[in-house]
Amino acid sequence: MMRFDTSSLIEAVKQTAEQVVKSIDEPTLRTVGFAGADLFRDQAKQIALYNMKTGMLFDSIIVKRLDEESDGGQVQVYLVTVRNGNASRDGAYYWRWVEKGHKFVPKNTNVSARTGRTIGWAAHRRAAELEYGNARVRAYPFMRPAYETRKRDAVDLMTRTLAQQLARNST
């Protein structure tokens, strides 16, 4: 019969785990988290290219660190989103309509003498009267497919980045 004392092995594993936890600091976690989020952002931009008209949506897809949910060296939270803006400021305020589709508002042929706009309230009322979106603009999703296609790759990339950061911190 052979006996094996595992107490020294358990102690070595505990010490190694403590060293790993100590070497993971806030800059390391930020680098690892951003690597995964960056991969999702690039995939969403790639999908958005298929339906690009002006390039505003492509340019507005960003990675944002959520300071209120990140707590230093323990948790880092990143959000891949679209810079909203509005009609007068840079940003793709319409991105949810592209992602999920929307009701079609036909172009009004009457030009307003006061505003110079061609789509007026009458066109919006006609669109609202359409029951449950009989005339809908097709959805062109880009965020959800980006997440679904790249989630395993993001985990792999984050694992590799963490290993590289740990190797860099230990030397």
Side-chain angles (χ1 to χ4, degrees), residues 7 12 29 33-34 37 52 61 69-70 80 84 91 97 105 108 112 116 121-122 124 136 138 153 157 160-162 168:
S7 61
L29 282 179
F34 184 77
M52 188 169 82
I61 299 173
E69 294 185 33
S70 300
V80 178
N84 282 326
W97 302 332
V105 179
N108 187 356
S112 169
W121 286 107
H124 287 285
R136 286 191 61 84
R138 184 174 172 272
D153 297 334
L157 177 64
R160 285 193 313 270
T161 305
L162 180 60
R168 184 175 297 150

Side-chain angles (χ1 to χ4, degrees), residues 21-37:
V21 169
K22 287 178 184 174
S23 64
I24 297 177
D25 54 353
E26 185 173 359
T28 301
L29 282 179
R30 280 188 180 209
T31 303
V32 171
F34 184 77

Side-chain angles (χ1 to χ4, degrees), residues 14-79:
K14 284 182 182 179
Q15 287 177 354
T16 304
E18 287 175 10
Q19 288 174 348
V20 168
V21 169
K22 287 178 184 174
S23 64
I24 297 177
D25 54 353
E26 185 173 359
T28 301
L29 282 179
R30 280 188 180 209
T31 303
V32 171
F34 184 77
D38 192 41
L39 186 68
F40 286 127
R41 182 198 60 202
D42 291 345
Q43 184 65 30
K45 282 185 164 205
Q46 196 66 30
I47 295 170
L49 270 178
Y50 293 123
N51 303 308
M52 188 169 82
K53 291 189 169 102
T54 64
M56 180 66 72
L57 180 61
F58 178 84
D59 292 338
S60 297
I61 299 173
I62 59 170
V63 174
K64 181 178 179 181
R65 180 176 172 270
L66 300 179
D67 290 331
E68 60 276 0
E69 294 185 33
S70 300
D71 68 348
Q74 297 285 323
V75 177
Q76 294 296 320
V77 181
Y78 287 89
L79 174 67

Side-chain angles (χ1 to χ4, degrees), residues 51 96-102 136-142:
N51 303 308
R96 287 182 182 86
W97 302 332
V98 175
E99 177 81 9
K100 297 179 181 178
H102 58 91
R136 286 191 61 84
V137 174
R138 184 174 172 272
Y140 294 98
F142 56 95

Side-chain angles (χ1 to χ4, degrees), residues 2 33 82 115:
M2 181 183 213
V82 178
T115 63

Side-chain angles (χ1 to χ4, degrees), residues 122-139:
H124 287 285
R125 272 192 233 97
R126 281 194 303 275
E129 290 167 0
L130 292 173
E131 195 168 332
Y132 300 109
N134 289 339
R136 286 191 61 84
V137 174
R138 184 174 172 272

